[in-house]
Amino acid sequence: MGGRQLASKWLKTEALLTDPEVAPYIPQTKGLNKENLYGMLESYGFVVVKPIVGGGGYGVIKITRSGGGYSITHSFKTGRYGSFDAMYQALLRTKVKRKYLIQQGVHLASIQGRPIDYRVKYVKSGDRWEFRAMVGRLARQGLFVTNLCKGGRLLSCREGLRRSLPHISSAAKKSEMRHLTRKCTAILESHFPGIGSLGFDYGLDRNGKIWIFEVNTRPQ
């Protein structure tokens, strides 16, 4: 696997936020602390907490505020808590000793109740970048992460778009994803010269808006 590897999600997110065209595609992201978590749950109703370094869906925790209570979902297990403080204490026990970030929760478009997201693989060959794959990843029933190592299912990007958002042009969304991929790659290359292989994780919400969840510099 040639090219530079950049593990920190935070550095990549910061670089992409410098571009006014790309910034609106990035869910709000903050470092994990009590104040940030409280504020983001007030704003978005649910958030995803994930390690700043790491991939494959490991260590990803979903936190939801509903009614007067809170819940934490990690893998298949969900715990419910009556107060923010009780939930936060439980979160500190659940997560491993790493730095985490909080990302705005996005209600993904789904197929029969299973959320779907997309992985786009973009690789440098000589001095040109080329698309190697664009696939939809359907989450396993009952899971909120779609990573294949967690039992998700692959389908073509077009089929995923058509089945999850039947009222929206799948060709237009595919071309928007391609444009975003090229644009983000140019930004990342200018900040981190030497990268040669990128994996973009995109999600489309129920209105068809594209969100950039993550860019992996070592795509699996």
Side-chain angles (χ1 to χ4, degrees), residues 21-62:
E21 185 193 341
V22 172
Y25 288 94
I26 296 174
Q28 189 177 20
T29 307
K30 291 185 174 182
L32 174 62
N33 62 35
K34 200 169 180 178
E35 194 184 346
N36 286 349
L37 183 61
Y38 185 82
M40 284 182 70
L41 282 167
E42 288 295 302
S43 300
Y44 302 111
F46 91 92
V47 298
V48 174
V49 170
K50 50 186 170 185
I52 287 179
V53 174
Y58 289 104
V60 176
I61 302 163
K62 178 180 172 181

Side-chain angles (χ1 to χ4, degrees), residues 24-26 172-174 176-177 180 202-205 208-212:
Y25 288 94
I26 296 174
K173 286 294 159 189
K174 260 185 90 166
E176 190 179 348
M177 260 189 253
L180 256 181
Y202 292 115
L204 276 77
D205 65 23
K209 174 175 161 55
I210 297 177
W211 294 91
I212 303 168

Side-chain angles (χ1 to χ4, degrees), residues 83-148:
S83 71
F84 178 82
D85 282 339
M87 177 277 291
Y88 194 72
Q89 289 310 310
L91 173 65
L92 296 180
R93 290 193 299 272
T94 304
K95 73 184 195 60
V96 290
K97 292 267 183 289
R98 297 199 217 163
K99 282 196 150 71
Y100 281 72
L101 52 79
I102 315 167
Q103 196 172 64
Q104 165 190 349
V106 172
H107 291 285
L108 288 173
S110 58
I111 299 174
Q112 291 166 335
R114 294 162 65 181
I116 182 169
D117 71 2
Y118 301 87
R119 163 55 69 94
V120 175
K121 229 168 156 177
Y122 201 45
V123 176
K124 196 168 193 177
S125 174
D127 57 357
R128 296 198 37 216
W129 284 87
E130 48 193 51
F131 287 93
R132 290 283 164 86
M134 287 184 84
V135 291
R137 302 183 301 184
L138 194 58
R140 195 160 124 200
Q141 199 69 48
L143 271 188
F144 71 93
V145 287
T146 60
N147 303 67
L148 291 173

